[in-house]
Amino acid sequence: MSSDKLSEKYELSQAKTLLVVQPHPDDAEIGAGGTIAKLSDAGSSVFYVTVTDGSMGTLDKTLSPEELARKRMKEQEDAMRLLGVRENRWLGWKDSEVTPSQHLRNQIMRIIREVRPDVVITVDPWLPYEAHPDHRHVGMMASEAALLAKFPLIGSEHAKEGLNAFSVPAVAYMITANPNTFVDVTNTFERKLKAVQAHVSQFGDDWTTYRSLLTSHAEKNARKAGRTGGLFEAFKVLRPAQLHVNDDAENE
Ligand code: ZN
């Protein structure tokens, strides 16, 4: 049921203000780093929301969760600087413990009403076989927040801070199995790699392998986009109107 003009395909490359909602420090760089660098180079403003502190992302038993969280905060800032991201809001959820709650939806909705983005980028909560709860729950709560932010009676307490209801033009899902949009990131791919590499606690052990995985993934996206060369990132871009009572969203 998406007959209004808001169901027209949204052009991700036209976005002037982007809000990227990521479960952990590093998801945005992995899923959309090349696109973020490309759009921020073109003058767009990019804001992040990082839901968890990343404090469980290690196999090293000698590291405390607090130490790791501090390390990852610094790594995230380094990565953002490389991509030209303006600002990051940490929501402070414990890594691996995100619940699909009205509280989280409301936290994200409040920031949507403040930043008023052209597009909300988040992880695809409908990714088949996604076993990490933080990814499923953050993707879903960000989708719900984007869908419902236009209703003033939902999260009405935001109005007391002067934050009014806002109709989000589009949601772009990164790390998706069902893309409908491919962004040529050939020119910013090296910076994407540097931004991923900035997450030393996650990729420091075997960067050569991670580098080649990310590169072959970007080449695979190029083939999916029908190109014979270049490096691409893939997204499923939908209008909020397509995210409700729509039995054809998979094909749109
Ligand atoms: Zn993650």
PDB file of all heavy atoms in Angstrom, residues 131-166:
ATOM      1  N   ALA A 131      22.258 -13.663  13.188  1.00  0.00           N
ATOM      2  CA  ALA A 131      22.108 -14.258  14.519  1.00  0.00           C
ATOM      3  C   ALA A 131      22.445 -13.284  15.645  1.00  0.00           C
ATOM      4  O   ALA A 131      22.196 -13.576  16.810  1.00  0.00           O
ATOM      5  CB  ALA A 131      22.987 -15.498  14.634  1.00  0.00           C
ATOM      6  N   HIS A 132      23.038 -12.129  15.313  1.00  0.00           N
ATOM      7  CA  HIS A 132      23.409 -11.217  16.400  1.00  0.00           C
ATOM      8  C   HIS A 132      22.192 -10.391  16.809  1.00  0.00           C
ATOM      9  O   HIS A 132      21.660  -9.620  16.008  1.00  0.00           O
ATOM     10  CB  HIS A 132      24.549 -10.295  15.967  1.00  0.00           C
ATOM     11  CG  HIS A 132      25.291  -9.745  17.156  1.00  0.00           C
ATOM     12  ND1 HIS A 132      24.667  -9.033  18.158  1.00  0.00           N
ATOM     13  CD2 HIS A 132      26.587  -9.845  17.539  1.00  0.00           C
ATOM     14  CE1 HIS A 132      25.556  -8.693  19.077  1.00  0.00           C
ATOM     15  NE2 HIS A 132      26.728  -9.184  18.727  1.00  0.00           N
ATOM     16  N   PRO A 133      21.778 -10.531  18.089  1.00  0.00           N
ATOM     17  CA  PRO A 133      20.556  -9.834  18.509  1.00  0.00           C
ATOM     18  C   PRO A 133      20.670  -8.317  18.381  1.00  0.00           C
ATOM     19  O   PRO A 133      19.686  -7.641  18.048  1.00  0.00           O
ATOM     20  CB  PRO A 133      20.376 -10.254  19.974  1.00  0.00           C
ATOM     21  CG  PRO A 133      21.732 -10.737  20.414  1.00  0.00           C
ATOM     22  CD  PRO A 133      22.386 -11.301  19.182  1.00  0.00           C
ATOM     23  N   ASP A 134      21.856  -7.753  18.647  1.00  0.00           N
ATOM     24  CA  ASP A 134      21.998  -6.292  18.554  1.00  0.00           C
ATOM     25  C   ASP A 134      21.676  -5.805  17.141  1.00  0.00           C
ATOM     26  O   ASP A 134      21.076  -4.741  16.953  1.00  0.00           O
ATOM     27  CB  ASP A 134      23.418  -5.842  18.917  1.00  0.00           C
ATOM     28  CG  ASP A 134      23.780  -6.116  20.376  1.00  0.00           C
ATOM     29  OD1 ASP A 134      22.875  -6.424  21.169  1.00  0.00           O
ATOM     30  OD2 ASP A 134      24.987  -6.028  20.702  1.00  0.00           O
ATOM     31  N   HIS A 135      22.067  -6.575  16.141  1.00  0.00           N
ATOM     32  CA  HIS A 135      21.797  -6.168  14.750  1.00  0.00           C
ATOM     33  C   HIS A 135      20.311  -6.264  14.434  1.00  0.00           C
ATOM     34  O   HIS A 135      19.722  -5.346  13.851  1.00  0.00           O
ATOM     35  CB  HIS A 135      22.624  -7.017  13.776  1.00  0.00           C
ATOM     36  CG  HIS A 135      24.029  -6.513  13.634  1.00  0.00           C
ATOM     37  ND1 HIS A 135      24.575  -6.090  12.455  1.00  0.00           N
ATOM     38  CD2 HIS A 135      24.994  -6.340  14.577  1.00  0.00           C
ATOM     39  CE1 HIS A 135      25.818  -5.682  12.663  1.00  0.00           C
ATOM     40  NE2 HIS A 135      26.099  -5.835  13.935  1.00  0.00           N
ATOM     41  N   ARG A 136      19.690  -7.371  14.823  1.00  0.00           N
ATOM     42  CA  ARG A 136      18.253  -7.514  14.539  1.00  0.00           C
ATOM     43  C   ARG A 136      17.447  -6.423  15.263  1.00  0.00           C
ATOM     44  O   ARG A 136      16.564  -5.806  14.685  1.00  0.00           O
ATOM     45  CB  ARG A 136      17.751  -8.896  14.985  1.00  0.00           C
ATOM     46  CG  ARG A 136      18.397 -10.071  14.249  1.00  0.00           C
ATOM     47  CD  ARG A 136      17.568 -11.345  14.420  1.00  0.00           C
ATOM     48  NE  ARG A 136      17.199 -11.611  15.807  1.00  0.00           N
ATOM     49  CZ  ARG A 136      17.945 -12.290  16.688  1.00  0.00           C
ATOM     50  NH1 ARG A 136      19.112 -12.779  16.322  1.00  0.00           N
ATOM     51  NH2 ARG A 136      17.526 -12.484  17.927  1.00  0.00           N
ATOM     52  N   HIS A 137      17.800  -6.185  16.520  1.00  0.00           N
ATOM     53  CA  HIS A 137      16.974  -5.277  17.319  1.00  0.00           C
ATOM     54  C   HIS A 137      17.220  -3.807  16.970  1.00  0.00           C
ATOM     55  O   HIS A 137      16.278  -3.015  16.928  1.00  0.00           O
ATOM     56  CB  HIS A 137      17.195  -5.553  18.801  1.00  0.00           C
ATOM     57  CG  HIS A 137      16.806  -6.956  19.182  1.00  0.00           C
ATOM     58  ND1 HIS A 137      17.353  -7.624  20.239  1.00  0.00           N
ATOM     59  CD2 HIS A 137      15.925  -7.815  18.615  1.00  0.00           C
ATOM     60  CE1 HIS A 137      16.833  -8.845  20.318  1.00  0.00           C
ATOM     61  NE2 HIS A 137      15.964  -8.987  19.330  1.00  0.00           N
ATOM     62  N   VAL A 138      18.464  -3.448  16.713  1.00  0.00           N
ATOM     63  CA  VAL A 138      18.733  -2.049  16.334  1.00  0.00           C
ATOM     64  C   VAL A 138      18.089  -1.744  14.981  1.00  0.00           C
ATOM     65  O   VAL A 138      17.448  -0.704  14.794  1.00  0.00           O
ATOM     66  CB  VAL A 138      20.256  -1.756  16.309  1.00  0.00           C
ATOM     67  CG1 VAL A 138      20.542  -0.413  15.631  1.00  0.00           C
ATOM     68  CG2 VAL A 138      20.816  -1.769  17.728  1.00  0.00           C
ATOM     69  N   GLY A 139      18.237  -2.665  14.005  1.00  0.00           N
ATOM     70  CA  GLY A 139      17.620  -2.435  12.690  1.00  0.00           C
ATOM     71  C   GLY A 139      16.116  -2.278  12.810  1.00  0.00           C
ATOM     72  O   GLY A 139      15.513  -1.412  12.155  1.00  0.00           O
ATOM     73  N   MET A 140      15.513  -3.092  13.660  1.00  0.00           N
ATOM     74  CA  MET A 140      14.052  -3.032  13.800  1.00  0.00           C
ATOM     75  C   MET A 140      13.603  -1.766  14.536  1.00  0.00           C
ATOM     76  O   MET A 140      12.656  -1.101  14.120  1.00  0.00           O
ATOM     77  CB  MET A 140      13.560  -4.285  14.531  1.00  0.00           C
ATOM     78  CG  MET A 140      12.074  -4.518  14.413  1.00  0.00           C
ATOM     79  SD  MET A 140      11.502  -4.656  12.697  1.00  0.00           S
ATOM     80  CE  MET A 140      11.754  -6.400  12.397  1.00  0.00           C
ATOM     81  N   MET A 141      14.296  -1.408  15.615  1.00  0.00           N
ATOM     82  CA  MET A 141      13.887  -0.213  16.365  1.00  0.00           C
ATOM     83  C   MET A 141      14.133   1.062  15.553  1.00  0.00           C
ATOM     84  O   MET A 141      13.355   2.011  15.629  1.00  0.00           O
ATOM     85  CB  MET A 141      14.616  -0.143  17.719  1.00  0.00           C
ATOM     86  CG  MET A 141      14.188  -1.213  18.708  1.00  0.00           C
ATOM     87  SD  MET A 141      12.395  -1.308  18.998  1.00  0.00           S
ATOM     88  CE  MET A 141      11.993  -2.745  18.034  1.00  0.00           C
ATOM     89  N   ALA A 142      15.198   1.081  14.761  1.00  0.00           N
ATOM     90  CA  ALA A 142      15.444   2.251  13.903  1.00  0.00           C
ATOM     91  C   ALA A 142      14.359   2.340  12.829  1.00  0.00           C
ATOM     92  O   ALA A 142      13.894   3.440  12.482  1.00  0.00           O
ATOM     93  CB  ALA A 142      16.826   2.161  13.257  1.00  0.00           C
ATOM     94  N   SER A 143      13.916   1.183  12.317  1.00  0.00           N
ATOM     95  CA  SER A 143      12.840   1.180  11.316  1.00  0.00           C
ATOM     96  C   SER A 143      11.539   1.691  11.925  1.00  0.00           C
ATOM     97  O   SER A 143      10.832   2.502  11.330  1.00  0.00           O
ATOM     98  CB  SER A 143      12.601  -0.244  10.786  1.00  0.00           C
ATOM     99  OG  SER A 143      13.779  -0.772  10.242  1.00  0.00           O
ATOM    100  N   GLU A 144      11.237   1.197  13.118  1.00  0.00           N
ATOM    101  CA  GLU A 144      10.007   1.637  13.791  1.00  0.00           C
ATOM    102  C   GLU A 144      10.064   3.134  14.083  1.00  0.00           C
ATOM    103  O   GLU A 144       9.080   3.856  13.891  1.00  0.00           O
ATOM    104  CB  GLU A 144       9.814   0.864  15.106  1.00  0.00           C
ATOM    105  CG  GLU A 144       9.472  -0.605  14.895  1.00  0.00           C
ATOM    106  CD  GLU A 144       9.122  -1.321  16.201  1.00  0.00           C
ATOM    107  OE1 GLU A 144       8.889  -0.647  17.231  1.00  0.00           O
ATOM    108  OE2 GLU A 144       9.084  -2.567  16.194  1.00  0.00           O
ATOM    109  N   ALA A 145      11.224   3.603  14.552  1.00  0.00           N
ATOM    110  CA  ALA A 145      11.362   5.033  14.858  1.00  0.00           C
ATOM    111  C   ALA A 145      11.173   5.877  13.603  1.00  0.00           C
ATOM    112  O   ALA A 145      10.482   6.907  13.624  1.00  0.00           O
ATOM    113  CB  ALA A 145      12.731   5.299  15.472  1.00  0.00           C
ATOM    114  N   ALA A 146      11.754   5.425  12.477  1.00  0.00           N
ATOM    115  CA  ALA A 146      11.626   6.176  11.219  1.00  0.00           C
ATOM    116  C   ALA A 146      10.178   6.174  10.731  1.00  0.00           C
ATOM    117  O   ALA A 146       9.677   7.169  10.213  1.00  0.00           O
ATOM    118  CB  ALA A 146      12.547   5.581  10.156  1.00  0.00           C
ATOM    119  N   LEU A 147       9.492   5.050  10.902  1.00  0.00           N
ATOM    120  CA  LEU A 147       8.103   4.935  10.461  1.00  0.00           C
ATOM    121  C   LEU A 147       7.171   5.826  11.288  1.00  0.00           C
ATOM    122  O   LEU A 147       6.240   6.434  10.759  1.00  0.00           O
ATOM    123  CB  LEU A 147       7.653   3.471  10.586  1.00  0.00           C
ATOM    124  CG  LEU A 147       6.196   3.167  10.240  1.00  0.00           C
ATOM    125  CD1 LEU A 147       5.948   3.320   8.741  1.00  0.00           C
ATOM    126  CD2 LEU A 147       5.807   1.759  10.703  1.00  0.00           C
ATOM    127  N   LEU A 148       7.431   5.891  12.604  1.00  0.00           N
ATOM    128  CA  LEU A 148       6.469   6.505  13.526  1.00  0.00           C
ATOM    129  C   LEU A 148       6.803   7.948  13.914  1.00  0.00           C
ATOM    130  O   LEU A 148       5.987   8.605  14.564  1.00  0.00           O
ATOM    131  CB  LEU A 148       6.356   5.648  14.791  1.00  0.00           C
ATOM    132  CG  LEU A 148       5.914   4.184  14.564  1.00  0.00           C
ATOM    133  CD1 LEU A 148       5.941   3.404  15.876  1.00  0.00           C
ATOM    134  CD2 LEU A 148       4.535   4.101  13.921  1.00  0.00           C
ATOM    135  N   ALA A 149       7.991   8.449  13.512  1.00  0.00           N
ATOM    136  CA  ALA A 149       8.430   9.785  13.961  1.00  0.00           C
ATOM    137  C   ALA A 149       7.497  10.905  13.513  1.00  0.00           C
ATOM    138  O   ALA A 149       7.488  11.988  14.090  1.00  0.00           O
ATOM    139  CB  ALA A 149       9.849  10.065  13.468  1.00  0.00           C
ATOM    140  N   LYS A 150       6.668  10.625  12.481  1.00  0.00           N
ATOM    141  CA  LYS A 150       5.778  11.701  11.972  1.00  0.00           C
ATOM    142  C   LYS A 150       4.513  11.870  12.819  1.00  0.00           C
ATOM    143  O   LYS A 150       3.773  12.837  12.619  1.00  0.00           O
ATOM    144  CB  LYS A 150       5.411  11.412  10.518  1.00  0.00           C
ATOM    145  CG  LYS A 150       4.493  10.230  10.316  1.00  0.00           C
ATOM    146  CD  LYS A 150       4.131  10.095   8.850  1.00  0.00           C
ATOM    147  CE  LYS A 150       3.241   8.875   8.629  1.00  0.00           C
ATOM    148  NZ  LYS A 150       2.921   8.658   7.226  1.00  0.00           N
ATOM    149  N   PHE A 151       4.268  10.941  13.736  1.00  0.00           N
ATOM    150  CA  PHE A 151       3.039  11.030  14.535  1.00  0.00           C
ATOM    151  C   PHE A 151       3.295  11.778  15.836  1.00  0.00           C
ATOM    152  O   PHE A 151       3.982  11.264  16.723  1.00  0.00           O
ATOM    153  CB  PHE A 151       2.507   9.620  14.847  1.00  0.00           C
ATOM    154  CG  PHE A 151       2.081   8.856  13.628  1.00  0.00           C
ATOM    155  CD1 PHE A 151       2.826   7.784  13.156  1.00  0.00           C
ATOM    156  CD2 PHE A 151       0.922   9.223  12.948  1.00  0.00           C
ATOM    157  CE1 PHE A 151       2.425   7.078  12.027  1.00  0.00           C
ATOM    158  CE2 PHE A 151       0.520   8.521  11.810  1.00  0.00           C
ATOM    159  CZ  PHE A 151       1.272   7.449  11.346  1.00  0.00           C
ATOM    160  N   PRO A 152       2.728  12.993  15.971  1.00  0.00           N
ATOM    161  CA  PRO A 152       3.062  13.813  17.146  1.00  0.00           C
ATOM    162  C   PRO A 152       2.627  13.219  18.478  1.00  0.00           C
ATOM    163  O   PRO A 152       3.216  13.546  19.513  1.00  0.00           O
ATOM    164  CB  PRO A 152       2.328  15.142  16.876  1.00  0.00           C
ATOM    165  CG  PRO A 152       1.328  14.846  15.813  1.00  0.00           C
ATOM    166  CD  PRO A 152       1.826  13.677  15.031  1.00  0.00           C
ATOM    167  N   LEU A 153       1.623  12.332  18.467  1.00  0.00           N
ATOM    168  CA  LEU A 153       1.169  11.766  19.741  1.00  0.00           C
ATOM    169  C   LEU A 153       2.064  10.612  20.202  1.00  0.00           C
ATOM    170  O   LEU A 153       1.956  10.152  21.332  1.00  0.00           O
ATOM    171  CB  LEU A 153      -0.284  11.295  19.642  1.00  0.00           C
ATOM    172  CG  LEU A 153      -1.305  12.393  19.317  1.00  0.00           C
ATOM    173  CD1 LEU A 153      -2.712  11.827  19.235  1.00  0.00           C
ATOM    174  CD2 LEU A 153      -1.245  13.511  20.355  1.00  0.00           C
ATOM    175  N   ILE A 154       2.948  10.141  19.302  1.00  0.00           N
ATOM    176  CA  ILE A 154       3.917   9.110  19.704  1.00  0.00           C
ATOM    177  C   ILE A 154       5.201   9.820  20.135  1.00  0.00           C
ATOM    178  O   ILE A 154       5.722  10.676  19.418  1.00  0.00           O
ATOM    179  CB  ILE A 154       4.201   8.127  18.539  1.00  0.00           C
ATOM    180  CG1 ILE A 154       2.896   7.423  18.130  1.00  0.00           C
ATOM    181  CG2 ILE A 154       5.278   7.114  18.934  1.00  0.00           C
ATOM    182  CD1 ILE A 154       3.039   6.443  16.967  1.00  0.00           C
ATOM    183  N   GLY A 155       5.675   9.499  21.323  1.00  0.00           N
ATOM    184  CA  GLY A 155       6.859  10.207  21.859  1.00  0.00           C
ATOM    185  C   GLY A 155       6.563  11.682  22.046  1.00  0.00           C
ATOM    186  O   GLY A 155       7.399  12.543  21.769  1.00  0.00           O
ATOM    187  N   SER A 156       5.355  11.970  22.521  1.00  0.00           N
ATOM    188  CA  SER A 156       4.915  13.374  22.587  1.00  0.00           C
ATOM    189  C   SER A 156       5.758  14.197  23.565  1.00  0.00           C
ATOM    190  O   SER A 156       5.769  15.421  23.491  1.00  0.00           O
ATOM    191  CB  SER A 156       3.433  13.446  22.973  1.00  0.00           C
ATOM    192  OG  SER A 156       3.240  12.771  24.193  1.00  0.00           O
ATOM    193  N   GLU A 157       6.491  13.513  24.467  1.00  0.00           N
ATOM    194  CA  GLU A 157       7.346  14.254  25.410  1.00  0.00           C
ATOM    195  C   GLU A 157       8.473  15.006  24.694  1.00  0.00           C
ATOM    196  O   GLU A 157       9.034  15.953  25.229  1.00  0.00           O
ATOM    197  CB  GLU A 157       7.908  13.311  26.491  1.00  0.00           C
ATOM    198  CG  GLU A 157       8.951  12.310  26.016  1.00  0.00           C
ATOM    199  CD  GLU A 157       8.356  11.036  25.419  1.00  0.00           C
ATOM    200  OE1 GLU A 157       7.150  11.029  25.062  1.00  0.00           O
ATOM    201  OE2 GLU A 157       9.110  10.053  25.279  1.00  0.00           O
ATOM    202  N   HIS A 158       8.798  14.596  23.467  1.00  0.00           N
ATOM    203  CA  HIS A 158       9.876  15.282  22.736  1.00  0.00           C
ATOM    204  C   HIS A 158       9.515  16.736  22.450  1.00  0.00           C
ATOM    205  O   HIS A 158      10.400  17.578  22.328  1.00  0.00           O
ATOM    206  CB  HIS A 158      10.177  14.557  21.412  1.00  0.00           C
ATOM    207  CG  HIS A 158      10.601  13.131  21.593  1.00  0.00           C
ATOM    208  ND1 HIS A 158      10.418  12.168  20.639  1.00  0.00           N
ATOM    209  CD2 HIS A 158      11.197  12.508  22.639  1.00  0.00           C
ATOM    210  CE1 HIS A 158      10.876  11.005  21.088  1.00  0.00           C
ATOM    211  NE2 HIS A 158      11.353  11.184  22.292  1.00  0.00           N
ATOM    212  N   ALA A 159       8.205  16.999  22.349  1.00  0.00           N
ATOM    213  CA  ALA A 159       7.761  18.365  22.027  1.00  0.00           C
ATOM    214  C   ALA A 159       8.168  19.352  23.115  1.00  0.00           C
ATOM    215  O   ALA A 159       8.413  20.532  22.843  1.00  0.00           O
ATOM    216  CB  ALA A 159       6.248  18.385  21.820  1.00  0.00           C
ATOM    217  N   LYS A 160       8.282  18.846  24.342  1.00  0.00           N
ATOM    218  CA  LYS A 160       8.685  19.738  25.455  1.00  0.00           C
ATOM    219  C   LYS A 160      10.096  20.270  25.250  1.00  0.00           C
ATOM    220  O   LYS A 160      10.468  21.304  25.791  1.00  0.00           O
ATOM    221  CB  LYS A 160       8.630  18.973  26.786  1.00  0.00           C
ATOM    222  CG  LYS A 160       7.223  18.655  27.220  1.00  0.00           C
ATOM    223  CD  LYS A 160       7.224  18.066  28.638  1.00  0.00           C
ATOM    224  CE  LYS A 160       6.009  17.169  28.817  1.00  0.00           C
ATOM    225  NZ  LYS A 160       6.326  15.774  29.098  1.00  0.00           N
ATOM    226  N   GLU A 161      10.895  19.524  24.484  1.00  0.00           N
ATOM    227  CA  GLU A 161      12.257  19.991  24.176  1.00  0.00           C
ATOM    228  C   GLU A 161      12.271  20.774  22.867  1.00  0.00           C
ATOM    229  O   GLU A 161      13.344  21.059  22.324  1.00  0.00           O
ATOM    230  CB  GLU A 161      13.197  18.793  23.986  1.00  0.00           C
ATOM    231  CG  GLU A 161      13.418  17.942  25.199  1.00  0.00           C
ATOM    232  CD  GLU A 161      14.331  16.769  24.838  1.00  0.00           C
ATOM    233  OE1 GLU A 161      15.535  17.002  24.612  1.00  0.00           O
ATOM    234  OE2 GLU A 161      13.829  15.638  24.742  1.00  0.00           O
ATOM    235  N   GLY A 162      11.101  21.039  22.322  1.00  0.00           N
ATOM    236  CA  GLY A 162      11.028  21.763  21.043  1.00  0.00           C
ATOM    237  C   GLY A 162      11.269  20.866  19.845  1.00  0.00           C
ATOM    238  O   GLY A 162      11.554  21.347  18.743  1.00  0.00           O
ATOM    239  N   LEU A 163      11.198  19.539  20.034  1.00  0.00           N
ATOM    240  CA  LEU A 163      11.443  18.605  18.934  1.00  0.00           C
ATOM    241  C   LEU A 163      10.107  18.124  18.388  1.00  0.00           C
ATOM    242  O   LEU A 163       9.382  17.388  19.063  1.00  0.00           O
ATOM    243  CB  LEU A 163      12.290  17.418  19.417  1.00  0.00           C
ATOM    244  CG  LEU A 163      13.640  17.804  20.037  1.00  0.00           C
ATOM    245  CD1 LEU A 163      14.345  16.577  20.609  1.00  0.00           C
ATOM    246  CD2 LEU A 163      14.529  18.498  19.011  1.00  0.00           C
ATOM    247  N   ASN A 164       9.812  18.535  17.174  1.00  0.00           N
ATOM    248  CA  ASN A 164       8.509  18.235  16.596  1.00  0.00           C
ATOM    249  C   ASN A 164       8.521  16.958  15.771  1.00  0.00           C
ATOM    250  O   ASN A 164       9.579  16.480  15.365  1.00  0.00           O
ATOM    251  CB  ASN A 164       8.059  19.404  15.722  1.00  0.00           C
ATOM    252  CG  ASN A 164       7.818  20.647  16.560  1.00  0.00           C
ATOM    253  OD1 ASN A 164       7.244  20.552  17.649  1.00  0.00           O
ATOM    254  ND2 ASN A 164       8.304  21.784  16.091  1.00  0.00           N
ATOM    255  N   ALA A 165       7.315  16.444  15.536  1.00  0.00           N
ATOM    256  CA  ALA A 165       7.164  15.268  14.681  1.00  0.00           C
ATOM    257  C   ALA A 165       7.830  15.542  13.336  1.00  0.00           C
ATOM    258  O   ALA A 165       7.854  16.683  12.862  1.00  0.00           O
ATOM    259  CB  ALA A 165       5.689  14.970  14.490  1.00  0.00           C
ATOM    260  N   PHE A 166       8.383  14.492  12.734  1.00  0.00           N
ATOM    261  CA  PHE A 166       9.128  14.661  11.486  1.00  0.00           C
ATOM    262  C   PHE A 166       8.909  13.459  10.586  1.00  0.00           C
ATOM    263  O   PHE A 166       9.031  12.313  11.025  1.00  0.00           O
ATOM    264  CB  PHE A 166      10.625  14.826  11.796  1.00  0.00           C
ATOM    265  CG  PHE A 166      11.487  14.883  10.567  1.00  0.00           C
ATOM    266  CD1 PHE A 166      11.424  15.985   9.721  1.00  0.00           C
ATOM    267  CD2 PHE A 166      12.348  13.836  10.254  1.00  0.00           C
ATOM    268  CE1 PHE A 166      12.210  16.037   8.568  1.00  0.00           C
ATOM    269  CE2 PHE A 166      13.135  13.883   9.110  1.00  0.00           C
ATOM    270  CZ  PHE A 166      13.062  14.992   8.275  1.00  0.00           C
TER     271      PHE A 166
END
